Amino acid sequence: MSNNTLMVQGTTSDAGKSTLVAALCRIYARQGVKVAPFKPQNMALNSAVTPDGGEIGRAQAVQAQAANVPLSVDFNPVLLKPQSDKNAQVIIHGKVFSSMDAQNYHDYKKIALDAVISSHQRLQENYQRIVVEGAGSPAEINLRAGDIANMGFAEQVDCPVIIIADIDKGGVFAHLVGTLALLSESEQARVVGFVINRFRGDIKLLEPGLEWLEQHTGKPVFGVLPYIHGLHIAAEDAVAVQQQVTDAKLKVIVPVTPRMSNHNDFDALRVHPQIDLQFIYASQLQQTELPAADLIILAGSKNTRDDLAFIKAQGWDSQINRHLRYGGKVFGICGGYQMLGTLINDPLGIEGESGVSQGLALLPISTELARDKTLTNQQGMLSLNGKSVAVSGYEIHVGQTQKDESLAAIVNINGQLQGAVSDDQQVAGCYLHGLFDSAQAVELLANWCHSELSEHVEFSQVQERAIDTLADVCQQHLDLTKLEQIMNNWSNR
Ligand SMILES: NC(=O)CC[C@H](N)C(=O)O
């Protein structure tokens, strides 16, 4: 029996599981409870690096911040990083285990389950409470056999489950009742109640529905969370909607590629009131033109060569060249940095078919993908435009990049130089993710693009405020006393 584990499952993806888990972590932390977030299995290309050099889903890093505890690979023992439509890299306890297709993955579920259970056990020994996030929906009956992400996990550790549903999408009662109906009897019994998320409008109109739901299912609704506008909590996987900036001093575009990774690198730029950052999606019907901008950023990628081919197929390579002819700047992060070079060689076929790709040839660097993955948190200095500022960030890559001796580096980590800027100062890049989380780095980037930002925005503070707001809203709208009673009754069963 696990008397200190509570699980949040959703009726759909993006129902609000990650944010509810983050809010509960913050609420328990405020009460002085030592709490850990946990997601048995995550599928995401947004990851974070733990102090011991492991890799976990980004959402668990945000939840750990909410819980005020250092990152651990036990918070997300299984991470699947899709690198093509059919294939994903499997990370177990923070390290690459293998690369496999969906069929193989099912064969190897036992290993994943052992990893999940051992991590959960360690957390139980070290934390007073564990708040678990499910994945997608527990009603995916085709995935139920051998499941470790939703009810399979809850049944294994015998924990209570809350189900959250997004009312903004419509059909909330059907989602909740339907999800419940598709669960087995013992699974239904562990659903202790519901949370309705993203409600806007008059609660009076919703109340009869809530009463019906409680009567029909015999389960309480713990509360209805309002739609919160402009909340900047790192989205787990979906690239958040475009923002509107009226007083933009810096216009940035990010071409979106199919295997773009760590798009949370852009969160700090997106929340800045003087930066207009747009993600540019390729249209299926016609070629998408990259709009005019001061800066184009090429993001990280889980499959650098395929994403590079995608960029070329859109004709974006020649549009990037045109942008440079007009005096624009280009910055590459990790996979995006690799693309700026002359060659990317994958002799072992680590990311797909083995072979060599011609890069965009905007920097005299070349990259070879190796078997070992670099996973580190780093602190150093970022230099651009003749100025240097302190930055911190993290590296997640298998590529090893060689550069011309004469080319200036832009990052100095304890005397180790990395990254590069072109002689004409128009093109730069480096391996560090997260470097724009520092306000100084954002301001330096803007200076490099000949613009001045007068507002100083420290992203970590924005994120902290967002977590606090979320926790406040949940404290106000959820019946946490009832939840606590249910948790106690559960452990005394
Ligand atoms: N994080 C990244 O962008 C990784 C780039 C590339 N796929 C590598 O592993 O080297």
Side-chain angles (χ1 to χ4, degrees):
M1 176 183 5
S2 53
N3 50 16
N4 60 356
T5 300
L6 171 67
M7 185 166 196
V8 175
Q9 298 184 5
T11 53
T12 54
S13 289
D14 199 32
K17 296 184 291 288
S18 313
T19 41
L20 181 57
V21 170
L24 290 171
C25 283
R26 176 54 54 95
I27 290 168
Y28 292 136
R30 280 175 178 171
Q31 294 167 356
V33 174
K34 195 177 175 208
V35 55
F38 185 62
K39 178 145 178 160
Q41 176 187 299
N42 210 339
M43 181 174 285
L45 284 184
N46 257 348
S47 50
V49 179
T50 60
D52 55 354
E55 190 175 4
I56 60 171
R58 190 87 221 153
Q60 280 61 63
V62 176
Q63 291 158 356
Q65 182 185 341
N68 218 351
V69 291
L71 293 190
S72 160
V73 294
D74 285 329
F75 296 164
N76 176 210
V78 181
L79 172 63
L80 306 177
K81 298 185 82 177
Q83 47 193 13
S84 72
D85 285 347
K86 296 205 180 77
N87 186 283
Q89 186 176 60
V90 182
I91 315 273
I92 299 268
H93 286 149
K95 296 285 181 214
V96 178
F97 180 81
S98 61
S99 180
M100 58 179 69
D101 56 30
Q103 198 55 46
N104 283 340
Y105 180 69
H106 283 277
D107 296 342
Y108 122 106
K109 281 247 161 119
K110 168 88 182 72
I111 294 164
L113 177 67
D114 287 349
V116 166
I117 297 304
S118 64
S119 281
H120 178 254
Q121 253 161 13
R122 270 191 294 276
L123 294 183
Q124 270 207 307
E125 282 155 24
N126 292 306
Y127 291 84
Q128 292 167 288
R129 182 147 292 184
I130 304 160
V131 189
V132 189
E133 179 185 335
S137 133
E140 313 292 2
I141 40 188
N142 53 321
L143 301 176
R144 179 61 186 85
D147 166 66
I148 54 167
N150 290 302
M151 281 302 178
F153 171 78
E155 293 268 88
Q156 184 82 29
V157 305
D158 187 20
C159 69
V161 173
I162 299 178
I163 298 192
I164 183 167
D166 176 3
I167 195 169
D168 198 51
K169 293 199 178 84
V172 75
F173 298 110
H175 275 151
L176 286 169
V177 174
T179 299
L180 210 55
L182 291 173
L183 301 179
S184 74
E185 229 169 86
S186 63
E187 293 166 355
Q188 285 175 359
R190 65 182 63 260
V191 175
V192 292
F194 307 117
V195 171
I196 291 179
N197 194 20
R198 297 202 189 98
F199 177 70
R200 34 185 159 192
D202 184 353
I203 191 80
K204 287 263 164 304
L205 295 176
L206 184 63
E207 270 159 7
L210 301 181
E211 275 162 33
W212 176 89
L213 183 66
E214 290 192 334
Q215 268 170 19
H216 183 83
T217 61
K219 299 187 188 289
V221 176
F222 290 114
V224 177
L225 301 176
Y227 195 103
I228 313 176
H229 292 276
L231 189 74
H232 299 296
I233 288 273
E236 184 183 48
D237 221 21
V239 176
V241 286
Q242 316 282 37
Q243 102 274 42
Q244 294 294 325
V245 175
T246 43
D247 178 28
K249 297 274 186 276
L250 180 68
K251 186 159 190 300
V252 184
I253 60 170
V254 179
V256 176
T257 55
R259 302 294 153 201
M260 178 164 105
S261 65
N262 285 80
H263 60 71
N264 46 287
D265 281 339
F266 305 111
D267 290 348
L269 301 175
R270 289 182 59 256
V271 301
H272 198 291
Q274 295 172 312
I275 298 178
D276 173 8
L277 185 143
Q278 304 292 335
F279 289 104
I280 307 300
Y281 291 85
S283 153
Q284 283 175 342
L285 300 175
Q286 62 198 65
Q287 293 243 312
T288 308
E289 283 276 313
L290 298 178
D294 303 305
L295 169 66
I296 297 176
I297 305 185
L298 298 182
S301 164
K302 187 74 192 100
N303 192 328
T304 306
R305 290 175 60 225
D306 278 7
D307 277 354
L308 177 63
F310 181 86
I311 284 175
K312 289 180 183 170
Q314 306 309 314
W316 286 345
D317 50 344
S318 52
Q319 292 169 37
I320 290 171
N321 283 325
R322 187 187 58 197
H323 162 86
L324 288 168
R325 283 199 299 279
Y326 280 96
K329 304 275 185 176
V330 176
F331 196 95
I333 304 174
C334 201
Y337 171 53
Q338 296 169 346
M339 291 178 202
L340 295 174
T342 49
L343 286 180
I344 299 149
N345 187 7
D346 185 3
L348 305 172
I350 303 273
E351 296 197 339
E353 294 273 295
S354 60
V356 185
S357 299
Q358 306 286 327
L360 300 173
L362 300 174
L363 286 174
I365 61 171
S366 65
T367 298
E368 182 162 315
L369 307 185
R371 210 175 280 290
D372 285 343
K373 196 177 209 176
T374 301
L375 283 163
T376 50
N377 287 301
Q378 302 281 22
Q379 288 190 325
M381 299 299 287
L382 169 70
S383 304
L384 277 172
N385 226 19
K387 282 183 236 153
S388 298
V389 297
V391 285
S392 53
Y394 54 100
E395 293 183 34
I396 303 177
H397 56 93
V398 292
Q400 297 295 335
T401 296
Q402 306 291 330
K403 70 180 183 64
D404 265 21
E405 282 294 310
S406 59
L407 195 65
I410 61 165
V411 175
N412 183 336
I413 298 167
N414 297 328
Q416 227 193 315
L417 299 178
Q418 64 138 289
V421 58
S422 61
D423 292 344
D424 64 6
Q425 301 293 314
Q426 273 190 277
V427 182
C430 65
Y431 270 111
L432 266 199
H433 290 285
L435 78 171
F436 299 129
D437 286 1
S438 120
Q440 283 186 322
V442 173
E443 286 153 21
L444 185 57
L445 182 76
N447 281 167
W448 181 58
C449 300
H450 311 297
S451 70
E452 202 71 46
L453 303 177
S454 53
E455 301 217 25
H456 188 77
V457 181
E458 213 56 75
F459 183 66
S460 58
Q461 288 167 11
V462 175
Q463 183 110 321
E464 255 316 282
R465 276 199 301 273
I467 294 170
D468 270 331
T469 304
L470 200 64
D472 291 346
V473 166
C474 287
Q475 257 172 328
Q476 192 188 339
H477 293 274
L478 298 185
D479 190 345
L480 295 169
T481 317
K482 188 182 278 174
L483 178 62
E484 213 45 46
Q485 276 164 2
I486 289 177
M487 286 289 291
N488 287 336
N489 291 345
W490 190 270
S491 52
N492 295 328
R493 279 178 314 159

